[in-house]
Each structure stands twice: as structure tokens, then as C-alpha cells.
Amino acid sequence: MAKQVTSENQEDIDAMIRAADRGELIHHTEAAIRRDPGAPLLTDEQAASLMAQSLANLEKLEKLEERRAEARTARRTWRVRVPEDLDDKASRLAKKEGIPKSAIIRKAVARYVQATDKQPTAS
């Protein structure tokens, strides 16, 4: 029997969608879908596919945790002008790594600072 969606239910659904978009929903083990014990065994291909999906989801979760940690530690906002080609490269790299462009910039500045700290100072 299908459940009727009321305006109150819709508000809850919309709130959950917004929370999911912000990465605030967590996995609850009791909400997991369980396979019927009487079902036939998975084929090797099905098992491999499930493992690949699980690993991909784990990587997404780890990146989400990294972004949350960065958001908690970032306290200053910089306004920086860059050439268009550098912006394009940073955007592509951020998309490839699945992290915000600001994280790419923070990593680059941190590495630069670390490299310059290791250089001997002129007396």
C-alpha cells in the first residue's frame, strides 16, 4: 500500500534532501537493505560490482570527511585574482580529485609555505 505524501511529509522530505546536499546524512546500519537469505548466491561479477560500489562510496565518504574537517579549520577568507588559465587548471584538478577548488588552493599554499620554511634564511 502506497503512503500518501502530505505537505508535512513533503517538508520532511525536502529537509532531508537539503541535509543530503550538505553532506549531513549518515549511514545507519539498521536502515540498510538486507538480502533475502533464501535468495541464490551472487555471481562473481555481482559480488565484484557490489564491492566496487562500496569502495566508491567509501572514497566519497572519506572526501566528505576531509571537506568537513577543512571547513571546521578554515577561519579566514581570501580574495585572490588569478589568470584564467590557472583558474581553469585548478577547476579541472578540483573536479578530478573530487574536492573544492579552495581545498586545492589551501594545499598549494601549505606546500609552498612548507618548502620555503625548509630553505635556509640569509643572514
Side-chain angles (χ1 to χ4, degrees):
M1 178 180 193
K3 186 174 180 179
Q4 181 72 26
V5 176
T6 65
S7 60
E8 186 176 303
N9 297 64
Q10 189 61 52
E11 288 175 17
D12 291 340
I13 292 167
D14 292 342
M16 287 181 68
I17 291 170
R18 286 191 300 276
D21 289 343
R22 291 189 304 268
E24 295 173 352
L25 293 185
I26 59 170
H27 173 73
H28 192 282
T29 54
E30 293 186 21
I33 297 172
R34 291 183 170 69
R35 193 167 176 349
D36 177 9
L41 294 175
L42 295 175
T43 65
D44 289 346
E45 293 80 16
Q46 290 170 325
S49 175
L50 285 174
M51 286 190 286
Q53 289 173 1
S54 295
L55 288 174
N57 289 337
L58 181 59
E59 288 174 4
K60 288 178 186 176
L61 182 60
E62 289 170 349
K63 288 179 182 178
L64 175 62
E65 288 302 319
E66 285 176 16
R67 282 184 271 177
R68 285 181 178 165
E70 288 174 0
R72 286 190 297 268
T73 59
R75 298 286 181 236
R76 302 278 188 231
T77 301
W78 294 355
R79 291 181 56 150
V80 180
R81 295 182 190 275
V82 297
E84 191 172 340
D85 64 324
L86 183 57
D87 181 59
D88 291 341
K89 290 175 183 177
S91 295
R92 284 194 301 274
L93 183 59
K95 185 174 182 176
K96 177 182 172 190
E97 292 191 15
I99 59 176
K101 195 182 332 179
S102 58
I104 298 291
I105 295 165
R106 282 192 294 274
K107 285 181 179 185
V109 171
R111 286 182 184 160
Y112 180 80
V113 168
Q114 185 179 21
T116 56
D117 283 348
K118 290 180 182 178
Q119 295 177 358
T121 57
S123 303

